[in-house]
Amino acid sequence: MAGPLVLIGFMGSGKTTLGRRLAAHRGVEHVDTDALVEQRLGAPIAEVFERDGEAAFRRAEEQVVLEQLAAGGDRVISLGGGAVLSEAVRTALEGMVVVALDVDVETAWERATADGAADRPLARDRDAFARLHAERAALYDELARAVLPQADPDVIVRADGALRVLEAAPPGTRMVWASAASGEYPVYVGAGVLGLDISGLPKLGGRGVVVTDSAVSEHHLGKVRSPSGVVEIPPGEEHKTLETAERVWRSLVAQGVTRSDHLIALGGGVVGDLAGFCAGCFQRGIPVVQAPTTVVAQVDSAYGGKTGVDLPEAKNYVGVYHQPSAVLADTSTLATLPRKEFAAGYAEVLKTALIAGGRLWERVAAGEPLDDDMILACARTKLAIVAADERDSGRRQVLNLGHTVGHALETTLGYGTLRHGEAVGLGMLAALRLSGLEGLRDQVAELLAAHELPTSLPEVDVDAVVAAVARDKKRVGSGPTPFVLVRAPGEVVEGQPVEEGALRAAVAELAATTRSEGHR
C-alpha cells in the first residue's frame, strides 16, 4: 500500500486548498488534520486556544496527526502549521514524501488576516507572526523532501508528475519546483538522480540526446538513464564558441533529432551554457535537461535559463533565455572533480551566500563544508530571484556579483587561464572594495584563501581589464557598465554606477596584493 503525501507549511501557505486539489487530481482521499482536531475537541481552534490554552490544543493535534500518519494509505494529508513542532510527529514523518509549501511572511499575513479567513489565534500580532514565521522556516526546510513556491492553487497539480518521480527517487533526494515567466520545472538534488526516470515529465516524452565533454563522459555518461544518443565536445571555456555550437547542431541533424526530442546537458557550466544554447536555437527550440556535474553548475549556472557562447571580444555575448525542463543535480558526481576544480566552485557558493544572507551566509562564513543542503539552499536562492525577474531587467542582476570584473579578467587573460570560479572570487574582492566594505572584503579574502583560491593576480593588465568592463554585456546605451555592490550580507544592490578611477584602483589592488596561493 502506497504511503501518504504530506503537506506542511506556515499558516496561509495554502496547505488545505492545494491538498484538496492534489487529492482530487489523484483520485484519493484528502485529510485536513486541523478539521479533525476541531471535530475531536468539538470547537474551533481559536475557541480551544481561548478555553484550554495552546498546550491542550497541541496535545490533541499530536494525537490526531500520529493516527493519520500511522494509517498510511495513498492519501494526501494537510498538517496544521504547528504540527511539526512535535518531536513524535517529526519522527513519524521520516521516510514519507513531505512537501513544504513556501510562503513569504507578507503573503502569509495577508491571507491569515483577510476578511472571511478563519480566526487564527497566532495571527493577531504582526510582529509576533513574523517571528514565528522565521522560527518555523528552518524546521519546514529540514523536514521537506520537496518545496513548492507560492503560486496559483493549481501549481501542485502541474508538479504532480515531478512529485511522482520523487517518490521513486533514491533516499535523500530532494526536489524544488522552479517557476519563471516562461516555464516551470523540477530541480532534483541528491546522490544518484542522474538515474531517475523523468520520461513522463512534460516535454520529455521523446528521445534524450546527451551533450557532454570528453572529460565528463568518461566518469558519468553511464549514469544517465537510457540516452538515445551522444554528442561529445572538447572540455574547456575556450571551446564555448559558435564553431562548437555548429558542430553540435550538425550532429543532431545526423542523429535525426526532432522537436519531440530533447537534449541532456551533462557537465559543468560550459556544457550547460552551450547545450542550452544549442537546444534553444535548434529547430527554433527543443527542451533541455540540465545535468550539472560541477559545483559551479550545481549551485548556480544550471538554473534560470541563461545560455550562450563566447566571442573573442567578450564572454557570453551570444545567447538566448531557454529554461530547462528539469535539472538533475547529482551530487555524487562532485567526487570525481579535481581538487582545484571543486575549490573553484566554492566562489559561486560564497557569492550566493552574500546575496542570501541569513542562515546560508552564517554557514559559509563559518567555513562549513559544502553538502547537499548547502547546494539546495544556493539553488533556491537563485530560483527565487529568477522567479521575480527572469529576463535580467532588475533584481536578477544581483546574481552578477563578482562577475563584471571576473568576466573581464577571463576575457583579457584568455579563456581557460583562470577557472571561472577563480575569476569570480577576484571579481568579488573588487566589488567589495568598490562597496567600501574593508572588513567584509578581508573576511571574503580569508575564505577564498582557505579554499586555495587566488586573492591576487600579479600579472593583471589594469587598463585591459577596465576596457573589458566597458564592453560588458550589462552595459546599456552610452553610460558606464553598472555594478552589483554589497551593503551587507543579504543586502546586495544592482545597477550601481562606479567611477572609472575607483574601478581602476580596485583592479590595481588585485595586482598589488601579495597573496596568490590559488592562482595557477
Side-chain angles (χ1 to χ4, degrees), residues 108-381:
W109 176 255
E110 181 181 344
R111 292 174 178 175
T113 59
D115 291 341
D119 182 25
R120 299 175 187 262
L122 298 179
R124 295 171 180 169
D125 180 276
R126 178 65 173 77
D127 292 339
F129 185 89
R131 288 194 297 271
L132 195 64
H133 180 277
E135 290 168 4
R136 290 186 183 175
L139 189 55
Y140 296 139
D141 288 346
E142 178 185 339
L143 294 170
R145 287 196 65 192
V147 178
L148 267 62
Q150 59 190 56
D152 62 276
D154 284 328
V155 63
I156 198 164
V157 173
R158 297 194 300 274
D160 189 31
L163 292 172
R164 293 291 195 186
V165 172
L166 181 65
E167 290 171 353
T173 302
R174 300 178 71 186
M175 187 199 94
V176 177
W177 186 252
S179 179
S182 65
E184 302 172 301
Y185 55 94
V187 173
Y188 298 97
V189 177
V193 300
L194 278 177
L196 291 178
D197 181 3
I198 58 173
S199 59
L201 295 179
K203 303 179 184 179
L204 299 180
R207 297 180 301 155
V209 176
V210 176
V211 178
T212 188
D213 67 41
S214 53
V216 172
S217 64
E218 175 185 355
H219 295 288
H220 305 305
L221 182 58
K223 300 176 183 177
V224 179
R225 187 183 182 97
S226 305
S228 299
V230 179
V231 180
E232 193 171 289
I233 64 174
E237 184 78 32
E238 62 270 28
H239 297 290
K240 200 175 83 173
T241 63
L242 285 167
E243 181 181 6
T244 306
E246 181 179 2
R247 176 178 165 184
V248 172
W249 288 322
R250 297 189 68 177
S251 180
L252 298 180
V253 173
Q255 295 184 52
V257 172
T258 72
R259 293 184 66 183
S260 66
D261 302 320
H262 61 276
L263 301 188
I264 302 171
L266 179 67
V270 170
V271 169
D273 283 359
L274 186 134
F277 174 68
C278 290
C281 296
F282 187 74
Q283 296 188 0
R284 297 189 176 89
I286 63 174
V288 61
V289 174
Q290 291 287 350
T293 61
T294 64
V295 176
V296 169
Q298 290 192 5
V299 303
D300 182 76
S301 64
Y303 318 104
K306 277 189 178 180
T307 73
V309 296
D310 304 332
L311 296 181
E313 292 82 3
K315 184 168 176 170
N316 295 329
Y317 238 44
V318 179
V320 296
Y321 287 93
H322 190 57
Q323 295 290 347
S325 294
V327 177
L328 304 175
D330 191 330
T331 54
S332 69
T333 62
L334 302 181
T336 64
L337 287 177
R339 182 173 58 86
K340 286 185 176 293
E341 192 65 38
F342 188 97
Y346 174 80
E348 289 286 357
V349 178
L350 182 52
K351 176 208 80 173
T352 306
L354 280 170
I355 294 169
R359 175 61 180 152
L360 180 57
W361 168 249
E362 290 172 2
R363 291 193 63 194
V364 171
E368 293 187 22
L370 182 70
D371 58 14
D372 289 11
D373 287 343
M374 198 178 288
I375 290 172
L376 187 70
C378 288
R380 289 182 63 186
T381 297

Side-chain angles (χ1 to χ4, degrees), residues 33-56:
T33 61
D34 273 353
L36 291 180
V37 173
E38 289 185 334
Q39 290 176 16
R40 180 161 299 184
L41 296 178
I45 292 174
E47 183 177 324
V48 174
F49 265 67
E50 294 289 344
R51 184 187 67 200
D52 304 323
E54 182 176 358

Side-chain angles (χ1 to χ4, degrees), residues 429-497:
L429 294 180
L432 289 168
R433 172 57 64 211
L434 292 168
S435 302
L437 299 178
E438 182 176 353
L440 185 58
R441 186 190 188 281
D442 290 344
Q443 184 180 11
V444 168
E446 290 176 2
L447 290 167
L448 291 170
H451 286 77
E452 301 182 4
L453 291 170
T455 58
S456 69
L457 198 61
E459 65 270 32
V460 67
D461 183 333
V462 175
D463 290 336
V465 172
V466 171
V469 166
R471 295 192 299 271
D472 190 280
K473 64 183 184 299
K474 293 182 291 298
R475 182 177 177 230
V476 177
S478 59
T481 299
F483 267 75
V484 178
L485 301 181
V486 181
R487 293 175 179 164
E491 190 177 354
V492 178
V493 290
E494 72 279 4
Q496 300 301 297

